[in-house]
Amino acid sequence: MTTPPALKLVRGEAALPPQVQELDWSILMARAQDGDANAYRRLLESIAPYLRAHAVRCHRNPSDVEDAVQDILLTLHAVRATYDPARPFGPWLTAIAKRRLIDRLRRQGRRRALETESDPIHETFADRSANLEHMTHIHDIAAALDRLPPGQREALRLTKIEGLSLKEASAASGMSVAALKVATHRAIRRLRSFFSGGSET
Amino acid sequence: MIPTDDLISALAANLRPVRRLRPPLLRATGFLLLAALILTMIATAHGWRPGLLVRLAEIRFALSLTGAVFTGILAAFAAFVVSLPGRSRHWLWLPLPSLALWLFSIGYQCLNFWTPLVPGAPPGEMASCIATLVLTSLPLSLALALMLRHAALFDPAPVILAASLSVAGITAAALTLFHPLDASIEILMFNLGTGSLIVLSGGAISLFVSNASEKPQ
């Protein structure tokens, strides 16, 4: 049984089998060594995705990946006289790429050793209220404060949250010291009942 | 960082034709011819060591000399091949058998370590011996550094090691041929020590440079 002839549409260089592509690269490099700038540009444009694929395996950050690709391209440019067109291009290119990527990873490892990573949980904000402990309850507390009558809320804010003395709070709010004491006491009792789930009394 | 496409355009625009390196074995042969030339020049200027033929009949002496010469030759081949990207690192094993032979035959020297002057050596022998050392190892090291400089951009450490081993072998052979001293261990240590020093200082410099350039503003 014979297989029917099939017509395959080949789009772009990426679809070529690797051997053909490597032969192509080898020829382009040989011409680049003789000074053919066009061949050189085509070669570099064609190997860049291949190098990127290598670099992606070592770096997660996209800008690191591009840095690595450029590093490899610059090394390739510097040692292009060492390529022998009689030998395959792939191992030559891969050796340079591997060397550069290993160098970069080593350098990165050293840099990391000098740095301390900060956890998001340790992050802090300019707003002072964000730095309170038990941040998980802060919204509940704010909501409970909102439910207090205005007089009690004000008394609690001045004496407990801002930490003023009774005298200072009295001067700031215009309430008497005795009234402040009573209002603060009631406010706290009411808050306690909110959080213990009891009814307001 | 510039876009990669721009970098490619810049590289292509500034492309200059380069001369391809000749095959590594051919270049290594060229280097060894230079070494032979230097040794011949020293031989004509200084003369062979007294009683060379008698010593050559000694098996240990002959083995040591053969080991040193072959280490010099094979390490040079290894250095030239390994300096090219994509060549197997296994070439570095090439000088090891002759190095083992050399080390084995000079092992007895460890007993009178660091005493390069044999008793009864003529005065001035020390200076002439050092002159031979410098005259052999300096031009050879410079020649290798020049011929293998492309490896500095790619992967210098194994190349430097193989190259210094090669220079050590040739220098030790020269010393054995021209002077009544056996300083192989010292030469080996000196050359490999220099090689390691170059590798280490290169590493230190790159560490320093990368730290300086990557320090956050």
Side-chain angles (χ1 to χ4, degrees), chain A residues 30 32-34 36-37 40-41 66-67 70 75 78 80-82 85 87 91-92 95 99-100 107 110-111, chain B residues 1-4 7-9 11-12 15-21 85-87 89 150 153-155 207 210 214:
Chain A
Q33 284 175 326
D34 295 334
D36 183 345
Y40 195 46
R41 182 197 310 271
E66 278 318 293
D67 254 1
Q70 297 189 7
T75 306
R80 63 191 191 279
T82 63
R87 298 180 66 86
W92 184 81
R99 196 65 243 158
R100 268 301 86 91
R107 217 177 315 150
R110 277 198 299 263
R111 208 175 41 202
Chain B
M1 190 179 75
I2 63 168
T4 304
L7 178 77
I8 290 176
S9 304
L11 287 180
L15 182 73
R16 270 176 301 146
V18 287
R19 211 163 52 86
R20 274 169 217 132
L21 294 183
R87 295 303 186 95
R89 285 288 186 82
H150 58 266
L153 301 160
F154 167 59
D155 187 12
L207 188 72
S210 69
E214 284 166 16

Side-chain angles (χ1 to χ4, degrees), chain B residues 103-153:
Chain B
L103 288 181
F104 169 74
S105 61
I106 61 180
Y108 72 101
Q109 276 189 28
C110 298
L111 295 176
N112 48 4
F113 204 48
W114 291 123
T115 51
L117 271 184
V118 288
E125 179 64 28
M126 186 71 177
S128 144
C129 165
I130 289 177
T132 303
L133 276 184
V134 172
L135 279 180
T136 323
S137 59
L138 201 64
L140 290 183
S141 306
L142 288 180
L144 274 184
L146 199 68
M147 293 178 89
L148 295 171
R149 62 187 184 282
H150 58 266
L153 301 160

Side-chain angles (χ1 to χ4, degrees), chain B residues 36-164:
Chain B
L37 181 71
I38 290 175
L39 292 198
T40 321
M41 277 162 59
I42 296 179
T44 46
H46 181 276
W48 304 104
R49 77 187 268 171
L52 178 65
L53 288 179
V54 181
R55 291 302 304 277
L56 275 178
E58 284 174 35
I59 184 84
R60 193 192 286 276
F61 182 85
L63 278 183
S64 168
L65 186 60
T66 315
V69 169
F70 272 92
T71 303
I73 294 173
L74 297 178
F77 280 123
F80 274 92
V81 175
V82 169
S83 76
L84 298 175
R87 295 303 186 95
S88 169
R89 285 288 186 82
H90 294 315
W91 279 87
L92 288 172
W93 297 105
L94 187 66
L96 278 200
S98 53
L99 179 65
L101 176 73
W102 184 23
L103 288 181
F104 169 74
S105 61
I106 61 180
Y108 72 101
Q109 276 189 28
C110 298
L111 295 176
N112 48 4
F113 204 48
W114 291 123
T115 51
L117 271 184
V118 288
E125 179 64 28
M126 186 71 177
S128 144
C129 165
I130 289 177
T132 303
L133 276 184
V134 172
L135 279 180
T136 323
S137 59
L138 201 64
L140 290 183
S141 306
L142 288 180
L144 274 184
L146 199 68
M147 293 178 89
L148 295 171
R149 62 187 184 282
H150 58 266
L153 301 160
F154 167 59
D155 187 12
V159 181
I160 290 176
L161 230 55
S164 30

Side-chain angles (χ1 to χ4, degrees), chain B residues 102 133 167-169 171-172 175 183-192:
Chain B
W102 184 23
L133 276 184
V167 175
T171 313
L175 205 66
S184 291
I185 284 277
E186 286 86 344
I187 292 172
L188 198 60
M189 281 176 58
F190 180 75
N191 277 284
L192 287 184

